[in-house]
Amino acid sequence: MKKIKIIISISIIILIFYVWKDYKKINLGYVNYPLITYDIENINNNFLKKIFISLDRYIETSLMKFSTKHRNYWKIESASKRETLPEYKYLDTEKNPTINKFKNIENLENWPRSHGNNHSNRFSSLTKINNTNAQNLEVAWIYYSKHGNQDIQCNPIAVNGIVYTSVAGRHISAINGETGKEIWQSKKFEDNYLAKRGLVYWPGDLNNGPRLYFSNWKKLIALDANTGKLIKSFGKNGIVKRTGPNVITPIIYKKFIVIATWDKSLEVYNLLNGKSEWKYKLKKYNTKRYGGKIYSETGGNPWGGISADIERGIVFITTGNPHKYHDGTRRPGKNEGSNSIIAIDLNKRKELWSFQEVAHDLWNLDLASPPILTTIKKDSILIDVVVTPTKAGNTLILDRLSGKPIYEYRLRKAPVSKIPGEKTNEYQPDLRLPEPFTDTRFSKDKIWFRNIDKKKQFLKKINDFKFGFFESDELGKKNLLIDGGASWPGASIDPNKNIMYVTSDQILLEQELKKSIVKNKNFGPTFFSTKKILLDDGIYPIIKPPWGTLTAINLNNGKIIWQKPLGEYEELKKKGFGITGSTNVGGVTSTSGNIAIATGSLDKKIYIYNSLNGEVIWEYKMPFIGSAPPTTYIANNKQYIVVHATGGLVLKMLYPKLVEFGNALVAFKLKE
């Protein structure tokens, strides 16, 4: 009997250990996060997962049955209470801005990091191609990958006349920037997220040759820039495995390489050997229950970009929106850290500040664009700022050290939700300066159809629809939203003239939130959303053009200098509708030659604009739609422009009839 008790006791201990082992997650290396966290999402064993789900449901039903607080959570929020609030409120602006002490980074013959440099300003000081001769451009070469077609979003880099980029087939290629001939191609890597948004060049030191660093989802990789071979002394044979999932370009700071990951964290590794140095969580850990349900805020991932003030040792990260996109019932509050710009001090290993644009986002208005570091002139003083264009059509200009707005930051009272348990934020941004480059608020006067009868029919159809300033969903009703603004390509900033050039677009979406069927009355409700893009004949957005634009904004005063359509529909142009612009996901690069190079429109064209007045100087139809921002560099004393033309995944999803994938990398130069 004694032996049986011992065996049972040991078995129970082993079972408890096994359950604990599967339920917990060890977070090694974090300077601001618990070593061990517990979450049902960590469980791999299906049997244990079923047990924990059953336990979670038991706790939820018990709380809903016996707790008035949890039952009341699912009441519809009070509109009368919201009505008592003032219509507007304002955030404090920076009264003592950060005075400029360091020179802005210049890109001359080289382009060593995707988006140009650590400031991500995507600006070149080159002038060989300029607004007086750009009409004389021609194709210099086209490089085709040997491995099929694939959407490539990587902004190529170029150093010493060699172009480095990811290409279709999950390879990195080095290409002669003058001839377009392949110098080397790396081995095939495992994941499609290979250098998804870019890579960075390190020139080496006395003991080490030049290297390329880039991410491959849950890996950080170092290649020999001369040969394309893995650096054996970095990580395990050239690869640091088990990083957090990441898609954006790394930052090199001193002898460290810094990445931002979908674990909502900053991770720092040794530049030479890949050893993990430290990590920092960008969001707090929350285990509370609301309405019986465990708090759940996935998302908020840093996927737009990362930039660095190397002199001050500060990195800046933009973050995505919380999930579920359109249902916030399980994530009450502002969802801090999402839809934000976050500044981290690398030397002190702590957060300096975090600034959120849209609080408790229900509209998919994440900060998808890279933060850009630049200097602007305010009250005759040069000040250092961080700038980010947004999906809401705003331009955030914040003091670099405090994170406070430079211009008046106005917030407007937002409507309450009629979804049970939904708690909308009381105020949302309603900015006047800088002037918004697109208006994402839908109204009936924005409806456009080629056929007037179709327009009348649609206007009748939407009489019972919801729309307006941060209007949230309602059961049984559809919500109309304008989607667009500035996406992941972001903007280009001329740090000498303090002008931002930003590509933007707009389409109309029909969205609806529905309630899932739940048999147990003691369960809190759950919701799911559906949406579709509204197009005329599956081709044309049904809101007034322009559907795509390139805008120049004076950052010194916040005023729009000019705005021009980006892209065209030849059929509409022939029928007298003019140049409408189009949905675009490519980006713009500007130079000291007074040109802005834009791509990504549905017409497959690359455009050269006169950056002084917005006039189109030159255009060229590529084999496929431009899918990444252009790069410019010098090879053999000649200036080149290079851009990926692969079609674009987002455009393919929106316009399956119009978009095809390709694999071209196209370079241009002046005719001789």
Side-chain angles (χ1 to χ4, degrees), residues 466-494:
K466 297 191 72 178
F467 49 83
F469 179 79
F470 285 93
E471 189 65 66
S472 60
D473 293 316
E474 182 179 345
L475 294 176
K477 286 193 175 185
K478 294 178 180 179
N479 197 358
L480 291 177
L481 305 170
I482 293 179
D483 186 60
S487 188
W488 63 263
S492 170
I493 291 181
D494 182 336

Side-chain angles (χ1 to χ4, degrees), residues 514-526:
K514 298 181 179 180
K515 187 176 179 180
S516 301
I517 298 174
V518 179
K519 294 181 180 179
N520 192 325
K521 66 178 181 179
N522 289 321
F523 279 165
T526 59

Side-chain angles (χ1 to χ4, degrees), residues 627-646:
S627 55
T631 293
T632 186
Y633 61 92
I634 292 290
N636 195 19
N637 205 36
K638 297 174 187 175
Q639 185 178 352
Y640 291 79
I641 295 167
V642 66
V643 61
H644 274 290
T646 67

Side-chain angles (χ1 to χ4, degrees), residues 404-446:
K404 290 184 178 180
I406 298 299
Y407 289 99
E408 173 192 270
Y409 200 92
R410 185 177 75 171
L411 297 164
R412 179 179 166 190
K413 182 169 58 178
V416 299
S417 174
K418 293 185 179 180
I419 296 294
E422 189 65 85
K423 313 288 192 295
T424 60
N425 201 60
E426 295 171 339
Y427 288 91
Q428 297 292 1
D430 186 29
L431 307 188
R432 294 178 291 183
L433 277 181
E435 293 177 334
F437 50 87
T438 191
D439 185 0
T440 56
R441 291 171 291 189
F442 174 76
S443 57
K444 287 186 177 181
D445 63 325
K446 293 183 178 180

